[in-house]
Amino acid sequence: MKEERKPGRRIYICHTFYHVYISCLKELNLPTGGDGPIRGQAHLMLSSMSTDFGNLKERAERSGLFEKVIPYDEKEESFFPELAKYHKDRGNIVVNMLARIKYTRLMGKLQASFVPVDLREYEDIYVFCDSDPIGYYLSTHKIHYHALEDGLDCIRYYDTARYDNRGHFKLKAWMASKNLIFIQNGYSKYCLDMEVNDVSVLQYPCPKYIERPRKELVSGLGDGEKEILVSIFIENRLELEKTLASGAGCGHQVLILSEPLCDLETRKRIFRDIIEEYGKIDGQRAQILIKPHPRDVLDYKELFPEHIVLDGKFPMEVLNEVKGLALDRVVTVFTVPDAITFVKEKVFLGEDFMDKYEAPEIHRQNEQI
């Protein structure tokens, strides 16, 4: 039986733990009563396409923050072999665009049987990473939605919409505005707006960008809201705090955030080099803590048995809510560390560092727009 569309009903479609984290922040900033949207009535949809969420569904349900948590078996393009022929370069922009129009429609239609709910029942749909198949589904089926920045200031470092559509971008953006083709991050006809953390750091404007600073979402939380947030992401808080405390008596501490970079052998070399270069404070070896990225399959416990390896299945920002946690340094390659509040020094290595490990054009996307 089809559910009645309720005023104010909303759903968050998430592909990563960070997406869930921002969804939680948005909900925790809502009132618990009143006439408008209130906390606890939203639905959360978890796409398993790129992330194993483990038992996050159960913890999110127990928290009471969401009315329903829905698994989503989203399918990548490679699942549908009939789409491959539309990627052939025919040497003519008109012919290529006709093929892309057909691809857009077919991609959206093929996703339909895998979307587990009728999204037309929701008044507000929030989508992180609409470049994934769900964006094509919404566009093809003419369903309006709100887009949200995939990561903290991620468009600043990698503007996927313009990179993926470099060459005749204005023409392609116009076609997307008419729903002939699909472009992510605010260019789709059915994207109502695109939430970004800071408009001022973005090189290229988009008329649908709206600024929603993530730090304001965090500052709006009280102790009770913070407890709910931690309970959703940390399965065993006492164990985590014990692990963190085990290194507290060792003098200086350095947190290294892993990322799924390059091939595994190169990745091993990258993080060995990072530890060697940044694992000392005032000339003394520091206690190293490694927080694996949720999609990083490298076994850091086996590779670095002498260091503390944390669970990878939570967003790093949750560590801000661990009372008493104070580290000397955090080191990242491409993960923006601005939201971390428990360290004295933040080291963002970026593109110059990665030039030593792979061809620059692989990670310097914005320079190729």
Side-chain angles (χ1 to χ4, degrees), residues 212-267:
R212 294 285 187 270
R214 304 268 163 102
K215 64 181 180 181
E216 292 182 3
L217 293 175
V218 176
S219 65
L221 303 185
D223 290 341
E225 285 79 20
K226 291 178 181 179
E227 286 297 322
I228 293 172
L229 190 65
V230 173
S231 73
I232 290 174
F233 290 102
I234 305 299
E235 187 169 8
N236 191 328
R237 181 171 184 166
L238 292 178
E239 181 179 334
L240 173 63
E241 291 178 346
K242 182 179 178 181
T243 300
L244 293 168
S246 67
C250 302
H252 297 295
Q253 292 178 286
V254 173
L255 173 65
I256 296 174
L257 303 179
S258 96
E259 298 176 56
L261 305 164
C262 307
D263 59 87
L264 289 180
E265 288 304 314
T266 306
R267 200 178 307 169

Side-chain angles (χ1 to χ4, degrees), residues 89-136:
D89 185 357
R90 293 158 176 83
N92 181 291
I93 188 173
V94 175
V95 179
N96 283 343
M97 286 297 101
L98 289 174
R100 184 165 173 179
I101 291 170
K102 294 177 182 178
Y103 169 86
T104 299
R105 295 290 177 269
L106 183 56
M107 178 65 157
K109 290 177 180 177
L110 290 172
Q111 298 297 326
S113 62
F114 299 97
V115 179
V117 295
D118 184 353
L119 290 172
R120 292 182 179 86
E121 296 171 359
Y122 297 88
E123 186 168 334
D124 289 297
I125 301 168
Y126 295 93
V127 182
F128 299 84
C129 212
D130 65 336
S131 58
D132 282 327
I134 188 63
Y136 287 86

Side-chain angles (χ1 to χ4, degrees), residues 106-362:
L106 183 56
M107 178 65 157
K109 290 177 180 177
L110 290 172
Q111 298 297 326
S113 62
F114 299 97
V115 179
V117 295
D118 184 353
L119 290 172
R120 292 182 179 86
E121 296 171 359
Y122 297 88
E123 186 168 334
D124 289 297
I125 301 168
Y126 295 93
V127 182
F128 299 84
C129 212
D130 65 336
S131 58
D132 282 327
I134 188 63
Y136 287 86
Y137 171 82
L138 293 166
S139 175
T140 298
H141 292 83
K142 302 179 181 180
I143 300 173
H144 289 94
Y145 66 95
H146 308 277
L148 297 95
E149 200 169 16
D150 182 33
L152 184 63
D153 290 332
C154 65
I155 297 176
R156 174 184 184 180
Y157 299 99
Y158 183 10
D159 190 330
T160 56
R162 286 182 177 267
Y163 178 79
D164 291 347
N165 295 279
R166 56 197 185 281
H168 305 285
F169 179 77
K170 289 184 178 180
L171 170 63
K172 294 173 184 177
W174 178 84
M175 293 178 71
S177 72
K178 303 301 180 183
N179 201 32
L180 296 171
I181 63 172
F182 176 77
I183 298 179
Q184 69 270 38
N185 291 355
Y187 293 96
S188 167
K189 177 179 179 178
Y190 293 96
C191 177
L192 297 169
D193 45 52
M194 170 79 187
E195 291 188 18
V196 299
N197 177 61
D198 184 355
V199 170
S200 71
V201 302
L202 303 181
Q203 181 177 358
Y204 300 101
C206 174
K208 292 185 182 179
Y209 285 165
I210 56 172
E211 189 172 272
R212 294 285 187 270
R214 304 268 163 102
K215 64 181 180 181
E216 292 182 3
L217 293 175
V218 176
S219 65
L221 303 185
D223 290 341
E225 285 79 20
K226 291 178 181 179
E227 286 297 322
I228 293 172
L229 190 65
V230 173
S231 73
I232 290 174
F233 290 102
I234 305 299
E235 187 169 8
N236 191 328
R237 181 171 184 166
L238 292 178
E239 181 179 334
L240 173 63
E241 291 178 346
K242 182 179 178 181
T243 300
L244 293 168
S246 67
C250 302
H252 297 295
Q253 292 178 286
V254 173
L255 173 65
I256 296 174
L257 303 179
S258 96
E259 298 176 56
L261 305 164
C262 307
D263 59 87
L264 289 180
E265 288 304 314
T266 306
R267 200 178 307 169
K268 290 177 184 178
R269 184 159 61 93
I270 288 172
F271 287 99
R272 286 193 185 105
D273 291 352
I274 289 174
I275 291 172
E276 179 63 29
E277 178 71 20
Y278 298 96
K280 294 179 182 178
I281 302 289
D282 297 330
Q284 300 295 317
R285 286 283 176 192
Q287 172 66 64
I288 303 297
L289 296 89
I290 301 173
K291 163 65 173 67
H293 188 282
R295 289 188 286 107
D296 190 346
V297 298
L298 188 61
D299 189 338
Y300 288 89
K301 289 186 177 180
E302 179 181 355
L303 187 63
F304 301 110
E306 70 275 27
H307 302 314
I308 296 174
V309 180
L310 305 176
D311 180 16
K313 292 188 178 298
F314 65 86
M316 63 177 182
E317 290 84 356
V318 175
L319 292 175
N320 289 333
E321 312 310 331
V322 177
K323 293 181 180 179
L325 182 61
L327 307 182
D328 293 272
R329 177 184 294 156
V330 62
V331 185
T332 81
V333 181
F334 287 129
T335 299
V336 178
D338 293 356
I340 297 176
T341 61
F342 54 85
V343 296
K344 298 175 184 177
E345 179 189 9
K346 301 173 186 178
V347 178
F348 178 79
L349 299 173
E351 295 166 340
D352 290 345
F353 173 82
M354 278 304 296
D355 285 347
K356 298 181 292 184
Y357 299 94
E358 66 181 10
E361 60 267 21
I362 295 176

